[in-house]
PDB file of all heavy atoms in Angstrom:
ATOM      1  N   GLN A 173      53.978 -64.380  -7.778  1.00 95.00           N
ATOM      2  CA  GLN A 173      52.687 -64.336  -8.473  1.00 95.00           C
ATOM      3  C   GLN A 173      51.964 -63.018  -8.214  1.00 95.00           C
ATOM      4  O   GLN A 173      51.310 -62.480  -9.103  1.00 95.00           O
ATOM      5  CB  GLN A 173      51.806 -65.504  -8.048  1.00 95.00           C
ATOM      6  CG  GLN A 173      52.070 -66.773  -8.810  1.00 95.00           C
ATOM      7  CD  GLN A 173      51.959 -66.572 -10.309  1.00 95.00           C
ATOM      8  OE1 GLN A 173      52.944 -66.638 -11.027  1.00 95.00           O
ATOM      9  NE2 GLN A 173      50.772 -66.304 -10.802  1.00 95.00           N
ATOM     10  N   LEU A 174      52.062 -62.510  -7.008  1.00 95.00           N
ATOM     11  CA  LEU A 174      51.437 -61.233  -6.682  1.00 95.00           C
ATOM     12  C   LEU A 174      52.042 -60.101  -7.516  1.00 95.00           C
ATOM     13  O   LEU A 174      51.327 -59.204  -7.982  1.00 95.00           O
ATOM     14  CB  LEU A 174      51.581 -60.943  -5.191  1.00 95.00           C
ATOM     15  CG  LEU A 174      50.639 -59.935  -4.574  1.00 95.00           C
ATOM     16  CD1 LEU A 174      49.183 -60.267  -4.871  1.00 95.00           C
ATOM     17  CD2 LEU A 174      50.853 -59.869  -3.081  1.00 95.00           C
ATOM     18  N   ALA A 175      53.341 -60.160  -7.725  1.00 95.00           N
ATOM     19  CA  ALA A 175      54.013 -59.164  -8.569  1.00 95.00           C
ATOM     20  C   ALA A 175      53.507 -59.265 -10.006  1.00 95.00           C
ATOM     21  O   ALA A 175      53.324 -58.247 -10.687  1.00 95.00           O
ATOM     22  CB  ALA A 175      55.521 -59.353  -8.523  1.00 95.00           C
ATOM     23  N   ALA A 176      53.252 -60.480 -10.478  1.00 93.00           N
ATOM     24  CA  ALA A 176      52.720 -60.664 -11.830  1.00 93.00           C
ATOM     25  C   ALA A 176      51.323 -60.054 -11.954  1.00 93.00           C
ATOM     26  O   ALA A 176      50.991 -59.431 -12.969  1.00 93.00           O
ATOM     27  CB  ALA A 176      52.689 -62.149 -12.195  1.00 93.00           C
ATOM     28  N   VAL A 177      50.506 -60.213 -10.924  1.00 94.00           N
ATOM     29  CA  VAL A 177      49.166 -59.611 -10.915  1.00 94.00           C
ATOM     30  C   VAL A 177      49.287 -58.094 -10.982  1.00 94.00           C
ATOM     31  O   VAL A 177      48.596 -57.429 -11.753  1.00 94.00           O
ATOM     32  CB  VAL A 177      48.370 -60.026  -9.651  1.00 94.00           C
ATOM     33  CG1 VAL A 177      47.071 -59.249  -9.561  1.00 94.00           C
ATOM     34  CG2 VAL A 177      48.109 -61.513  -9.636  1.00 94.00           C
ATOM     35  N   SER A 178      50.183 -57.556 -10.183  1.00 93.00           N
ATOM     36  CA  SER A 178      50.376 -56.109 -10.147  1.00 93.00           C
ATOM     37  C   SER A 178      50.808 -55.576 -11.509  1.00 93.00           C
ATOM     38  O   SER A 178      50.297 -54.554 -11.981  1.00 93.00           O
ATOM     39  CB  SER A 178      51.420 -55.767  -9.074  1.00 93.00           C
ATOM     40  OG  SER A 178      51.631 -54.381  -9.026  1.00 93.00           O
ATOM     41  N   ARG A 179      51.740 -56.261 -12.154  1.00 91.00           N
ATOM     42  CA  ARG A 179      52.193 -55.832 -13.489  1.00 91.00           C
ATOM     43  C   ARG A 179      51.062 -55.903 -14.503  1.00 91.00           C
ATOM     44  O   ARG A 179      50.919 -55.007 -15.347  1.00 91.00           O
ATOM     45  CB  ARG A 179      53.376 -56.684 -13.952  1.00 91.00           C
ATOM     46  CG  ARG A 179      54.693 -56.284 -13.314  1.00 91.00           C
ATOM     47  CD  ARG A 179      55.884 -56.952 -13.979  1.00 91.00           C
ATOM     48  NE  ARG A 179      55.786 -58.403 -14.049  1.00 91.00           N
ATOM     49  CZ  ARG A 179      56.156 -59.247 -13.084  1.00 91.00           C
ATOM     50  NH1 ARG A 179      56.657 -58.782 -11.962  1.00 91.00           N
ATOM     51  NH2 ARG A 179      56.042 -60.544 -13.238  1.00 91.00           N
ATOM     52  N   ALA A 180      50.243 -56.940 -14.442  1.00 91.00           N
ATOM     53  CA  ALA A 180      49.128 -57.075 -15.378  1.00 91.00           C
ATOM     54  C   ALA A 180      48.134 -55.930 -15.192  1.00 91.00           C
ATOM     55  O   ALA A 180      47.632 -55.359 -16.173  1.00 91.00           O
ATOM     56  CB  ALA A 180      48.436 -58.427 -15.188  1.00 91.00           C
ATOM     57  N   LEU A 181      47.851 -55.568 -13.950  1.00 92.00           N
ATOM     58  CA  LEU A 181      46.946 -54.447 -13.687  1.00 92.00           C
ATOM     59  C   LEU A 181      47.552 -53.128 -14.157  1.00 92.00           C
ATOM     60  O   LEU A 181      46.854 -52.291 -14.734  1.00 92.00           O
ATOM     61  CB  LEU A 181      46.599 -54.378 -12.202  1.00 92.00           C
ATOM     62  CG  LEU A 181      45.720 -55.512 -11.676  1.00 92.00           C
ATOM     63  CD1 LEU A 181      45.575 -55.405 -10.161  1.00 92.00           C
ATOM     64  CD2 LEU A 181      44.368 -55.511 -12.351  1.00 92.00           C
ATOM     65  N   ASP A 182      48.849 -52.945 -13.906  1.00 89.00           N
ATOM     66  CA  ASP A 182      49.526 -51.735 -14.371  1.00 89.00           C
ATOM     67  C   ASP A 182      49.443 -51.612 -15.887  1.00 89.00           C
ATOM     68  O   ASP A 182      49.133 -50.544 -16.417  1.00 89.00           O
ATOM     69  CB  ASP A 182      50.994 -51.725 -13.942  1.00 89.00           C
ATOM     70  CG  ASP A 182      51.189 -51.443 -12.467  1.00 89.00           C
ATOM     71  OD1 ASP A 182      50.223 -50.968 -11.820  1.00 89.00           O
ATOM     72  OD2 ASP A 182      52.298 -51.706 -11.970  1.00 89.00           O
ATOM     73  N   ARG A 183      49.701 -52.701 -16.578  1.00 88.00           N
ATOM     74  CA  ARG A 183      49.660 -52.671 -18.048  1.00 88.00           C
ATOM     75  C   ARG A 183      48.264 -52.347 -18.555  1.00 88.00           C
ATOM     76  O   ARG A 183      48.104 -51.603 -19.525  1.00 88.00           O
ATOM     77  CB  ARG A 183      50.143 -53.998 -18.627  1.00 88.00           C
ATOM     78  CG  ARG A 183      51.625 -54.188 -18.490  1.00 88.00           C
ATOM     79  CD  ARG A 183      52.036 -55.561 -19.032  1.00 88.00           C
ATOM     80  NE  ARG A 183      53.454 -55.713 -18.994  1.00 88.00           N
ATOM     81  CZ  ARG A 183      54.230 -55.766 -20.073  1.00 88.00           C
ATOM     82  NH1 ARG A 183      53.697 -55.695 -21.272  1.00 88.00           N
ATOM     83  NH2 ARG A 183      55.524 -55.904 -19.956  1.00 88.00           N
ATOM     84  N   ALA A 184      47.264 -52.890 -17.913  1.00 89.00           N
ATOM     85  CA  ALA A 184      45.885 -52.574 -18.313  1.00 89.00           C
ATOM     86  C   ALA A 184      45.602 -51.094 -18.085  1.00 89.00           C
ATOM     87  O   ALA A 184      45.023 -50.423 -18.952  1.00 89.00           O
ATOM     88  CB  ALA A 184      44.890 -53.434 -17.531  1.00 89.00           C
ATOM     89  N   GLY A 185      46.035 -50.570 -16.960  1.00 86.00           N
ATOM     90  CA  GLY A 185      45.825 -49.151 -16.669  1.00 86.00           C
ATOM     91  C   GLY A 185      46.553 -48.254 -17.649  1.00 86.00           C
ATOM     92  O   GLY A 185      45.991 -47.273 -18.142  1.00 86.00           O
TER      93      GLY A 185
END
Side-chain angles (χ1 to χ4, degrees):
Q173 276 305 112
L174 200 53
V177 172
S178 180
R179 282 191 306 274
L181 291 174
D182 286 345
R183 287 178 176 249

